[in-house]
C-alpha cells in the first residue's frame, strides 16, 4: 500500500507539471529559476525529499516556445567598380608651315634633351610647332626661288647652357639653312662637326668661350662663305693652318687658346679687318708679309712669345687704328715706317726688349691717343714725344731715358746694353714709305687706298679679351 501511494503521487505530479498550460506560461514568465524552485518544493512536500527535474523540451507539442534569435544576415559584397572611361582620342598631328621647319623642329627637340642647366629659361619657350618664335631662333625667307620661311639664325650668346653631353654634333650641321650661329659663353664640349662646311648659307660662326678642344678645326677652312669666325677662349691647341689666312673673312678671332707655333708667313693673305692672336704661345718673328694685309684695321699680338725685330712692312697698314704687340720678347728699334700709320689710335709695344730713340715721327701721328712703350730699354725721347708724356698719351716708365722719372736702374740698363744687339734690316729702320720722295712700291706693295668700313674710333678687338660678348 505504501509503495502504491508513492507511485501514484509521483504520477500525478508529472502530469501536473507537463500538461497544465497555465503553469507552463507562469513558469516562463517568472523565469526558469522560479519554476525549478517551485517544482523542487512540490516534490519535497509530496514525497518528503529533495531532487531536481529537467526543463521541459522546447520542441515538445504544447510546451514552452523558447527559441534563440536568428543569426544576423551575412554582409553582401560591394558592387564592382564601373569600367574606366575610354581613352581620349589622340591629338591631331602637329601642323608645320613647311617641311624645312618640321625637320628643324625635331632637331631642336633632340638638342633640348642634352641641356641640363638652362638659367635663362630658353627651353621653356621651345614648345609648339612655330620654332620661329622660340627664344634664340630667327627665321627668314630663303634667298632662292622657293622663298620658303626657314631657320636662318641662332643666338645663344650668354645662355650658359650646360650638360654632360652638350655637343654641337647632331645639331649644328643638321640645320641646313642656317646663316648665323652665335653661341658665346656656354659649355659646349668636343669638336666642331665635320660636315659644317656643307651648310651653304653659313657666314657667321661664334663659338667663343666654350670648352671645345683638339687641333684647329679644319672643318671651318672648308666653309667658304664664312666672313666671321670667333674661336677665342676655348681649349684648341697645336698649329693654325696656313689656309686659315686664305679665308675670305672680315673677322678672325683665335685669342686665348693654346696654339703653339711660329706665325705662318702667309699672314698677309688675310682679308680680315680684325685679327686677334693674343694670349697664345706663338713664337718667332712677326712675318713681314703682314704689310700686305691692307684691309687690316686692328691686330692684337700681345702676350705671346714673339721675338726678333719689328718688320718695317708694318708701316703699310695705313688703315690700322690698333696695333698691339705688348708682352712679348721683341727687340730692336721702332721702324720709322710706323710714322705712316696715320689712322693709328692705340699703339702698344710695352713689356718687350725694344731700345734706341723713340722716333719723333711716331709721336707726331695725328690720331694717337695711347702710345705704350713702358718696360723696354729706350734711351731717348724728343720734344714731340715729351709733349705726349705731358698729355698722358705716351707711357714711357721703366726704360733707360735720362731726365725722365720712373726709369730702370742704371746698372740694369748697362747690363742690357753690354750684349751686342742688331736687326737684320737696320738700313730699313729709318725708311719712311709714305714720303712722296720715296717709293714703297719698290718692294711690291701698292698704297692705293680702299674704302673699308670700320670703327672710326675706339677698339673692337680689345673687347675680345673679355670672354663674354653680348
Amino acid at each position: 500500500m505504501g509503495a502504491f501511494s508513492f507511485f501514484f503521487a509521483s504520477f500525478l505530479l508529472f502530469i501536473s507539471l507537463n500538461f497544465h498550460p497555465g503553469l507552463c506560461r507562469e513558469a516562463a514568465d517568472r523565469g526558469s529559476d522560479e519554476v525549478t524552485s517551485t517544482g523542487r518544493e512540490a516534490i519535497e512536500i509530496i514525497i518528503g525529499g529533495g531532487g531536481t527535474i529537467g526543463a521541459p523540451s522546447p520542441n515538445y507539442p504544447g510546451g514552452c516556445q523558447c527559441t534563440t534569435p536568428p543569426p544576423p544576415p551575412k554582409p553582401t559584397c560591394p558592387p564592382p567598380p564601373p569600367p574606366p572611361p575610354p581613352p581620349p582620342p589622340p591629338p591631331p598631328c602637329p601642323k608645320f608651315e613647311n617641311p624645312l621647319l618640321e625637320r628643324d623642329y625635331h632637331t631642336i627637340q633632340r638638342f633640348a634633351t642634352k641641356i641640363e642647366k638652362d638659367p635663362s629659361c630658353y627651353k621653356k619657350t621651345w614648345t609648339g610647332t612655330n620654332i620661329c618664335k622660340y627664344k634664340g631662333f630667327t627665321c627668314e625667307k630663303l634667298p632662292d626661288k622657293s622663298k620658303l620661311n626657314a631657320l636662318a639664325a641662332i643666338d645663344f650668346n650668354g645662355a650658359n647652357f650646360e650638360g654632360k653631353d652638350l655637343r654641337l654634333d647632331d645639331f649644328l650641321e643638321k640645320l641646313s639653312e642656317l646663316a648665323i650661329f652665335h653661341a658665346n659663353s656656354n659649355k659646349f664640349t668636343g669638336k666642331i662637326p665635320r660636315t659644317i662646311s656643307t651648310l651653304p648659307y653659313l657666314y657667321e660662326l661664334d663659338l667663343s668661350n666654350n670648352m671645345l678642344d683638339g687641333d684647329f678645326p679644319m672643318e671651318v677652312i672648308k666653309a667658304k662663305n664664312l666672313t666671321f669666325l670667333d674661336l677665342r677662349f676655348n681649349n684648341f691647341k697645336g698649329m693654325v693652318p696656313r689656309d686659315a689666312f686664305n679665308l675670305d673673312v672680315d673677322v678672325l678671332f683665335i685669342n686665348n687658346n693654346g696654339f703653339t707655333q711660329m706665325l705662318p708667313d702667309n699672314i698677309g693673305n688675310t682679308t680680315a679687318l680684325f685679327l686677334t692672336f693674343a694670349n697664345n704661345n706663338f713664337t718667332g718673328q712677326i712675318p713681314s708679309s703682314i704689310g700686305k694685309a691692307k684691309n687690316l684695321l686692328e691686330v692684337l699680338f700681345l702676350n705671346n712669345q714673339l721675338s726678333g725685330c719689328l718688320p718695317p712692312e708694318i708701316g703699310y697698314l695705313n688703315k690700322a687704328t690698333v696695333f698691339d704687340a705688348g708682352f712679348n720678347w721683341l727687340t730692336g728699334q721702332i721702324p720709322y715706317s710706323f710714322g705712316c700709320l696715320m689712322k693709328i689710335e692705340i699703339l702698344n709695344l710695352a713689356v718687350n726688349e725694344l731700345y734706341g730713340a723713340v722716333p719723333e715721327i711716331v709721336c707726331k701721328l695725328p690720331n694717337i691717343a695711347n702710345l705704350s712703350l713702358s718696360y723696354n730699354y729706350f734711351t731717348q725721347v724728343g720734344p714731340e714725344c715729351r709733349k705726349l708724356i705731358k698729355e698722358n698719351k705716351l707711357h714711357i716708365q721703366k726704360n733707360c731715358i735720362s731726365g725722365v722719372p720712373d726709369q730702370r736702374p742704371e746698372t740694369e740698363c748697362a747690363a742690357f746694353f753690354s750684349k751686342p744687339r742688331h736687326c737684320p734690316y737696320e738700313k730699313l729702320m729709318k725708311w719712311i714709305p709714305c714720303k712722296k720722295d720715296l717709293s714703297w712700291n719698290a718692294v711690291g706693295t701698292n698704297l692705293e687706298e680702299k674704302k673699308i668700313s670700320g670703327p672710326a674710333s675706339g677698339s673692337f678687338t680689345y673687347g675680345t679679351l673679355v670672354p663674354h660678348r653680348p
Side-chain angles (χ1 to χ4, degrees), residues 377-390:
Y377 294 89
F378 291 109
T379 55
Q380 185 179 344
V381 290
E384 294 296 331
C385 292
R386 291 179 184 270
K387 288 180 183 179
L388 292 185
I389 294 174
K390 291 181 180 179

Side-chain angles (χ1 to χ4, degrees), residues 91-410:
C93 294
K95 294 183 179 180
F96 295 90
E97 183 178 340
N98 59 59
L100 302 180
L101 297 179
E102 181 177 6
R103 177 204 62 202
D104 291 346
Y105 164 84
H106 295 294
T107 300
I108 294 168
Q109 298 305 319
R110 286 196 304 271
F111 171 68
T113 63
K114 299 180 180 180
I115 302 174
E116 298 174 359
K117 292 185 180 180
D118 176 19
S120 299
C121 301
Y122 278 70
K123 292 200 301 180
K124 186 177 181 181
T125 70
W126 296 355
T127 59
T129 60
N130 190 356
I131 66 173
C132 301
K133 292 186 177 181
Y134 289 4
K135 185 177 180 179
F137 295 86
T138 302
C139 297
E140 295 288 347
K141 300 292 184 182
L142 284 175
D144 59 16
K145 293 182 180 180
S146 71
K147 302 299 180 185
L148 290 174
N149 206 25
L151 180 59
I154 292 177
D155 185 1
F156 292 158
N157 279 355
N160 292 304
F161 290 152
E162 292 187 39
K164 62 183 179 181
D165 192 32
L166 188 63
R167 303 170 67 92
L168 296 168
D169 303 274
D170 197 38
F171 177 59
L172 177 56
E173 80 277 17
K174 300 292 186 182
L175 306 173
S176 300
E177 291 72 41
L178 198 64
I180 298 172
F181 186 74
H182 289 181
N184 169 282
S185 298
N186 289 281
K187 293 293 188 298
F188 284 106
T189 60
K191 296 176 172 56
I192 296 175
R194 291 181 177 275
T195 54
I196 191 175
S197 60
T198 63
L199 302 181
Y201 303 108
L202 185 66
Y203 70 92
E204 286 195 15
L205 182 61
D206 181 358
L207 299 174
S208 58
N209 196 28
N210 279 280
M211 300 173 67
L212 303 173
D213 57 19
D215 295 333
F216 185 94
M218 294 298 295
E219 295 78 15
V220 302
I221 301 297
K222 300 176 183 178
K224 299 301 183 181
N225 292 325
L226 277 182
T227 62
F228 183 103
L229 179 59
D230 189 349
L231 301 177
R232 60 199 171 88
F233 285 96
N234 277 288
N235 299 317
F236 295 119
K237 62 182 187 303
M239 300 180 65
V240 179
R242 291 170 53 87
D243 288 342
F245 301 101
N246 294 328
L247 288 172
D248 190 15
V249 295
D250 296 328
V251 171
L252 179 58
F253 295 155
I254 58 175
N255 56 282
N256 293 85
N257 279 284
F259 296 120
T260 305
Q261 69 179 98
M262 295 181 66
L263 290 171
D265 58 8
N266 70 329
I267 188 175
N269 291 355
T270 183
T271 61
L273 305 176
F274 305 96
L275 274 177
T276 61
F277 299 91
N279 302 318
N280 281 285
N281 292 298
F282 290 110
T283 60
Q285 298 183 352
I286 297 175
S288 60
S289 68
I290 184 120
K292 297 180 181 180
K294 301 304 294 295
N295 294 347
L296 202 56
L297 298 179
E298 299 186 15
V299 57
L300 303 184
F301 292 110
L302 78 156
N303 197 28
N304 280 282
Q305 303 294 321
L306 299 176
S307 58
C309 300
L310 292 165
E313 288 83 358
I314 292 173
Y316 290 137
L317 304 177
N318 56 357
K319 302 294 186 192
T321 59
V322 174
F323 186 93
D324 193 327
F327 291 87
N328 282 286
W329 297 98
L330 299 170
T331 190
Q333 302 179 46
I334 298 177
Y336 277 37
S337 63
F338 277 45
C340 296
L341 302 175
M342 292 298 177
K343 295 187 177 180
I344 202 75
E345 298 173 5
I346 300 174
L347 178 57
N348 181 20
L349 301 173
V351 195
N352 279 286
E353 293 186 343
L354 300 170
Y355 55 85
V358 179
E360 283 281 275
I361 190 173
V362 174
C363 292
K364 292 173 66 176
L365 287 170
N367 294 305
I368 194 70
N370 190 330
L371 177 56
S372 296
L373 303 177
S374 302
Y375 290 89
N376 280 286
Y377 294 89
F378 291 109
T379 55
Q380 185 179 344
V381 290
E384 294 296 331
C385 292
R386 291 179 184 270
K387 288 180 183 179
L388 292 185
I389 294 174
K390 291 181 180 179
E391 295 171 2
N392 200 32
K393 294 181 179 179
L394 172 57
H395 307 282
I396 201 72
Q397 63 268 26
K398 302 303 179 185
N399 278 278
C400 301
I401 304 171
S402 60
V404 175
D406 196 15
Q407 298 297 294
R408 294 180 185 271
E410 291 184 5

